[in-house]
Each structure stands twice: as C-alpha cells, then as structure tokens.
Amino acid sequence: MTAVIVRLVAVASLMFALLAAELAATFAFPGWGRGGVAIVAATMVGVAAVGFMDLGQEGATVWLFAAAAALWLIILLGLGSLDPLTRTLYLTINITP
Amino acid sequence: MSDAEAHEFQFGSAERQHEAAISGMWLFLATEALFFGPIFLSWIYARHADPSAFDAGSRHTALMIGLTNTGLLLASSFTYSVGLACIAFGSRRGMVIWLAIAWALGAAFIGLKFGVEWRMDLKEGLFPGPNFAIHGPARSGAQLFFAFYFFGTALHGLHLVVGLGLVAWIIFQAERFTAERHSPVRVVGLYWTFIDIIWLVLFPLIYLIGRAS
C-alpha cells in the first residue's frame, strides 16, 4: 500500500507543479503566451487520466473508449474551429443614397 | 468470499463484472467529453469574434478564487484515489475517512464557486444583459465571455453536485465493499476525477488565457 500512496503523492505533486507552471506561463513568461498555457493544461489532463484514473493499467476496451473520446473531440474542435480560424473578414463600405 | 458469490449471475466471473463496469464508465465519460466539447468550441468561436473584448471580460474574473478551487479539486482527486487504495488493501475505515475528505473538498469548491464567486460577479453586474457593468467597445465581447463563464461553470457545478451525491452514497454504503469487491468505488472515482479534468480545461479558458494575451 505504501508504494501506491507514494505514487499518488508523486502524481499530486506533479499536478501542483504543473499548475504553478501554468501560472508562470501566464504571468512570468509572457513569451510562452496562450500556447504555453494550453500545452501545460493538456499535460495536466493527461497526468490526471494516467495518474488518478489508472488509464495505463486498463485493458484494450477502456483504451478504445478513451481513444474514441479523444478522436471525437479532435474532430469536433478541429473541424469546428477551422472555419472561424481560417476565415478572412474584409471591410465593406455601405453607400446609402 | 468465493468467486461465485463475488459476481452477479449474468457475468462469468468477478473479473468480467469488474471489467464491464469500468469499460461502461469509460464509455459514459467519452460521451461526457463530447457533451462538454461544444462548450469549448463555443469559447473558440466567441473569442475569435472579438479577442480583445473577450479577454477584457476574462480579466474581470476572480483569479484567486479560481486558483483555490483548482487546488481543492486536485486535492480531492488525490484523496479519493487514496481512499480507493485503502479499500483495495482491505481498509474500509481508511476508505471512509479519505472519501469524506474528498467530499468536503468538493463541497468547499461548490461553496466558493456559487456562494462567494458567483455572488461577487452578480453584485458587480457581470451577468450578461441590459445592466451589464462593462461599457465601451469591449461590452459586447465581454458579455459573450460571461455567457460562456456562467453556462460553463453552472454545467460543471451540476456535474460536481451529482459527484458529491455519488461519493456520499459510497460512504453510506461502505459496509458493502471489500478488498475483493469494490467496483462501484472505482467507477465513482473515475467520474470524480473526470469532473476534475473538465475543470482543468475550464480554468485556463476562464482565468488564464485572457490574462496571458
């Protein structure tokens, strides 16, 4: 049991360290910008899934469902944001008589 | 307890029953991820429409409360996992104590979010509508931000309230669980951590991205 508790303490410490890194990316290193915050947040999600939800110890079915969720989200967010992020807005002039 | 006693009749073994329960929960969580996906997509759309005004709205949020709440949820995921380890090693008393701590941390999140932060936001006139407090060119984008903020946090809070009910149920049913048979504790733990994960996405979208710009 001690080994499990030690592992959980390590995971929790890593999560709090990543939270500190997220704050650092926001305030202390403006050069990292929004990309830095997004990368740290995605890492935190991954660490929580593996460290607290024990994804690494699950079987093929669970991995299939987790991968399906990730794939659906990538399709939803990727294709969904393609339009606003690639659209160019041109100024138009309305001439009213 | 023999293997035949440790599983329901429709499963070939206790191991198969446990596998079905865990897989079923992960499938449910996959649908939940898709449930929250469009909310995150709406953030991308709304921010892209007017980034500076949207970020101006974000800078009106209470960062310290958001940060404290993130710490509370991270700690609650940790304490729940310790509780799960306790029952896996046969300590029912340890499980109850750690799950009670996880429940209290979750309840503290709800109290801070809706009892303090929302009350402050509403008092400052940050609810979108004719009485919205932010004026000038950022008004429209900031209203979009606070529409996302109130909807996203309300939906997350609703999930957390359901999670609190489930954790309380596990605590009150503690007598049923043993080292060999505790799948419900594991299944509720997956849901509990998933709520944490949703907040780990909401937290930067609400409090940090606007300040990082």
Side-chain angles (χ1 to χ4, degrees):
Chain A
M1 175 146 172
T2 310
V4 177
I5 301 296
V6 168
R7 185 184 66 82
L8 289 173
V9 168
V11 171
S13 305
L14 180 59
M15 291 297 276
F16 279 102
L18 285 167
L19 181 62
E22 204 170 38
L23 289 174
T26 305
F27 298 107
F29 303 102
W32 291 10
R34 296 186 299 273
V37 175
I39 289 169
V40 177
T43 308
M44 289 178 84
V45 168
V47 171
V50 174
F52 289 137
M53 297 169 93
D54 288 333
L55 186 59
Q57 294 169 19
E58 298 298 349
T61 317
V62 164
W63 272 96
L64 181 71
F65 292 147
L71 178 70
W72 293 333
L73 269 181
I74 288 167
I75 292 171
L76 175 75
L77 296 177
L79 291 183
S81 57
L82 208 58
D83 173 56
L85 296 182
T86 57
R87 183 182 295 190
T88 305
L89 296 174
Y90 295 100
L91 288 174
T92 56
I93 300 168
N94 281 330
I95 301 172
T96 47
Chain B
M1 187 182 286
S2 72
D3 188 56
E5 288 171 317
H7 63 85
E8 305 295 338
F9 73 92
Q10 65 269 40
F11 297 99
S13 66
E15 195 182 330
R16 290 299 289 271
Q17 181 175 335
H18 178 77
E19 209 176 285
I22 302 300
S23 303
M25 192 59 193
W26 272 95
L27 181 59
F28 171 70
L29 295 182
T31 66
E32 282 283 276
L34 274 189
F35 177 73
F36 278 96
I39 298 167
F40 303 144
L41 185 61
S42 76
W43 182 92
I44 295 172
Y45 259 83
R47 187 178 182 280
H48 184 74
D50 191 351
S52 59
F54 199 76
D55 292 346
S58 171
R59 286 191 284 273
H60 279 78
T61 53
L63 176 63
M64 280 316 292
I65 295 179
L67 189 60
T68 307
N69 270 341
T70 307
L72 287 174
L73 281 195
L74 288 179
S76 80
S77 281
F78 167 73
T79 51
Y80 194 102
S81 299
V82 175
L84 181 60
C86 285
I87 192 66
F89 283 93
S91 171
R92 189 178 292 137
R93 189 168 174 271
M95 180 196 81
V96 169
I97 291 169
W98 284 101
L99 262 57
I101 296 171
W103 189 94
L105 291 167
F109 178 101
I110 291 288
L112 258 184
K113 168 58 70 185
F114 300 106
V116 179
E117 191 179 6
W118 264 39
R119 188 178 285 186
M120 274 167 49
D121 296 333
L122 295 174
K123 202 175 169 185
E124 287 175 27
L126 293 173
F127 193 81
N131 299 321
F132 192 62
I134 300 173
H135 298 281
R139 181 179 174 85
S140 172
Q143 286 204 80
L144 268 180
F145 171 82
F146 276 100
F148 168 81
Y149 166 80
F150 280 109
F151 186 69
T153 53
L155 212 54
H156 175 263
L158 188 67
H159 278 75
L160 190 50
V161 168
V162 171
L164 286 173
L166 290 171
V167 175
W169 176 76
I170 293 288
I171 291 171
F172 286 117
Q173 298 285 316
E175 288 297 316
R176 291 176 48 192
F177 307 120
T178 61
E180 296 79 27
R181 188 173 181 170
H182 60 271
S183 294
V185 186
R186 175 106 173 78
V187 165
V188 170
L190 290 175
Y191 179 78
W192 190 252
T193 304
F194 180 79
I195 298 168
D196 187 6
I197 284 178
I198 292 298
W199 180 255
L200 291 177
V201 179
L202 282 176
F203 173 66
L205 296 186
I206 290 171
Y207 299 93
L208 299 184
I209 299 280
R211 288 178 165 94
S213 304

